[in-house]
Amino acid sequence: MSPDDPDRPDDGAYERLLVLPDDLRSELKTPLGPIETDAEVLLEEIDGPLITVGDVVTYHFLEADYTPHVALVDERTKRQQVDEEIRDTVVAETDLEAVNPPAELSTDVIDVLLEGLDADGSTTILVEGEEDLVALPAIVAAPDGASVVYGQPDEGMVHVVVTDDVRAEVRDLLERFEGDVERLWAMLDGTH
């Protein structure tokens, strides 16, 4: 997304924390866990809090009568508007909003992610921009045994069970982002 793209949030509306470098893009296309196409099957494997990243993923769980602990949505799928039924379902109970441009992680989205993880009930976060990369800090911040589920375009839902090993793998990926990685770690410090 170029700086003059009309869909890009105003720079004054958020504080940039990390930017995805071009050389890491292809590596992030490799799923961090097994891929499943049926939310009902995934629910059998989930034992602990569920964090969903993506409108279609969140929609599938809501349609299976399961509300995620934290759901991050942006009203888009594969860079296109989601259809009206999906949008209406996933944003019906929006609790928090955050600004997070594509290929970036903002302090705003990290703050609301942490607020959602700390909440007693379920939290839906509507992201202005793009929520895709938030799966990474969600994996780092989520408690052991939590499930982070995100979409893999044209394949299904990736299920990541949070463990120390997976968290370390994701921390290594985030270390390779451009920006203030130390500030990210300071924000996430104390989540375990």
Side-chain angles (χ1 to χ4, degrees):
M1 179 170 276
S2 70
D4 44 331
D5 188 316
D7 288 335
R8 184 180 193 88
D10 173 35
D11 281 351
Y14 74 100
E15 184 180 349
R16 178 178 293 126
L17 185 61
L18 297 179
V19 177
L20 175 64
D22 289 339
D23 63 342
L24 199 53
R25 288 177 189 267
S26 63
E27 194 171 332
L28 286 180
K29 290 181 181 172
T30 303
L32 294 168
I35 296 175
E36 179 56 61
T37 56
D38 187 339
E40 298 279 356
V41 171
L42 267 177
L43 283 171
E44 294 171 11
E45 300 171 8
I46 292 172
D47 182 26
L50 170 64
I51 298 99
T52 58
V53 181
D55 296 64
V56 175
V57 169
T58 301
Y59 176 78
H60 284 303
F61 282 101
L62 293 172
E63 286 296 293
D65 285 329
Y66 192 92
T67 302
H69 180 69
V70 176
L72 292 117
V73 298
D74 64 6
E75 301 179 315
R76 295 176 137 354
T77 184
K78 296 190 270 185
R79 306 227 191 276
Q80 303 295 317
Q81 283 289 129
V82 293
D83 70 44
E84 193 172 329
E85 179 186 348
I86 292 175
R87 183 184 48 109
D88 290 348
T89 301
V90 299
V91 301
E93 301 294 325
T94 298
D95 300 290
L96 300 170
E97 295 184 13
V99 175
N100 191 70
E104 295 185 18
L105 288 169
S106 69
T107 56
D108 191 28
V109 82
I110 300 299
D111 283 339
V112 296
L113 168 66
L114 295 174
E115 187 176 337
L117 288 171
D118 285 343
D120 288 334
S122 62
T123 302
T124 298
I125 301 167
L126 178 59
V127 177
E128 178 188 344
E130 192 174 275
E131 89 293 88
D132 298 8
L133 290 177
V134 185
L136 298 174
I139 291 166
V140 173
D144 287 342
S147 290
V148 176
V149 179
Y150 65 90
Q152 187 78 6
D154 302 317
E155 292 186 52
M157 298 175 279
V158 178
H159 180 203
V160 180
V161 177
V162 178
T163 64
D164 285 339
D165 289 344
V166 171
R167 199 177 284 121
E169 178 183 346
V170 170
R171 284 181 74 95
D172 288 345
L173 285 171
L174 286 166
E175 283 282 345
R176 295 166 50 202
F177 276 58
E178 297 167 356
D180 194 348
V181 177
E182 291 306 313
R183 176 132 187 244
L184 174 65
W185 300 147
M187 293 177 79
L188 298 179
D189 190 34
T191 56
H192 301 288

